[in-house]
Amino acid sequence: ADLTIRQRPLAFFAEHYALYTRYQNARHAGGGMDEDGHEQYAHFLLQSNVDTRLIEFSDGDAVRMVSIIDVLEDGLSSVYTFYDPDVAGASFGTYNILWQARQCDALDLPYLYLGYWIAESPKMAYKARFPALERLTGGDWEPFSGAAVEIQPKQAAAADSSARRSRPCWRRSGP
């Protein structure tokens, strides 16, 4: 089914929080975020000092996905996306990345920042499926194939030092 896409205010909506908790319980059970109350949810996703947008994807009256994105000078940054875990085979996450890439094109922005990638996390493997990726390593952008490479950005200092991390970025080709 075609999804209806609309920007909503960066505010608390009970139906979004209900979808978020269903998503967390299905995809990240036992990870801590599955126990977030609405205050933690709001603090995590709805407070921002930059141009942050809440994008809602609906199928009829049913909200299927919510994406929080930051609009930057040179691109969009995918902050967090959660979706209906009960729709088998929907590929909402892939749909969302492709939608964000189209938004970059429409806004004439060269980059889509997909956020951290952790090699050991199967849940993040999808990021390597998008061509034209680069990663930020030591302050420099370099081609990224998704291969497991040891990366220790300063931003990840508080994380497990054995984790392989990078910040994948999709770059729009052409003018």
Side-chain angles (χ1 to χ4, degrees):
D2 289 329
L3 297 176
T4 301
I5 304 165
R6 66 180 175 155
Q7 183 176 331
R8 304 286 305 269
L10 189 63
F12 184 86
F13 294 92
E15 64 187 327
H16 293 173
Y17 175 66
L19 180 62
Y20 173 83
T21 57
R22 285 182 30 236
Y23 172 83
Q24 292 299 334
N25 286 324
R27 301 275 302 170
H28 304 291
M33 292 175 69
D34 56 328
E35 298 174 11
D36 282 357
H38 70 274
E39 296 87 8
Q40 290 93 348
Y41 164 82
H43 181 71
F44 172 48
L45 294 175
L46 306 177
Q47 295 182 8
S48 177
N49 293 321
V50 298
D51 184 3
T52 300
R53 309 224 175 132
L54 186 155
I55 310 298
E56 178 185 275
F57 299 78
S58 299
D59 182 8
D61 292 334
V63 176
R64 297 295 185 199
M65 178 168 52
V66 173
S67 184
I68 310 295
I69 58 174
D70 288 342
V71 180
L72 310 172
E73 250 182 57
D74 64 348
L76 298 178
S77 179
S78 186
V79 175
Y80 201 75
T81 298
F82 53 95
Y83 51 83
D84 189 338
D86 300 324
V87 181
S91 299
F92 289 130
T94 298
Y95 180 96
N96 185 262
I97 290 174
L98 295 174
W99 178 84
Q100 289 181 28
R102 285 192 305 273
Q103 290 303 297
C104 285
D105 281 340
L107 297 170
D108 199 30
L109 297 171
Y111 296 104
L112 171 58
Y113 301 97
L114 299 180
Y116 279 112
W117 175 75
I118 302 172
E120 292 82 4
S121 175
K123 292 178 182 178
M124 292 189 174
Y126 71 92
K127 293 179 184 188
R129 291 195 317 254
F130 295 90
L133 285 177
E134 295 180 341
R135 68 173 177 215
L136 182 63
T137 305
D140 296 318
W141 288 99
E142 59 186 37
F144 174 64
S145 67
V149 176
E150 190 72 25
I151 298 172
Q152 298 294 328
K154 290 181 182 177
Q155 300 93 322
D160 177 4
S161 63
S162 66
R164 293 184 199 116
R165 296 172 169 258
S166 66
R167 293 183 58 206
C169 175
W170 173 83
R171 179 184 285 197
R172 182 169 53 107
S173 60

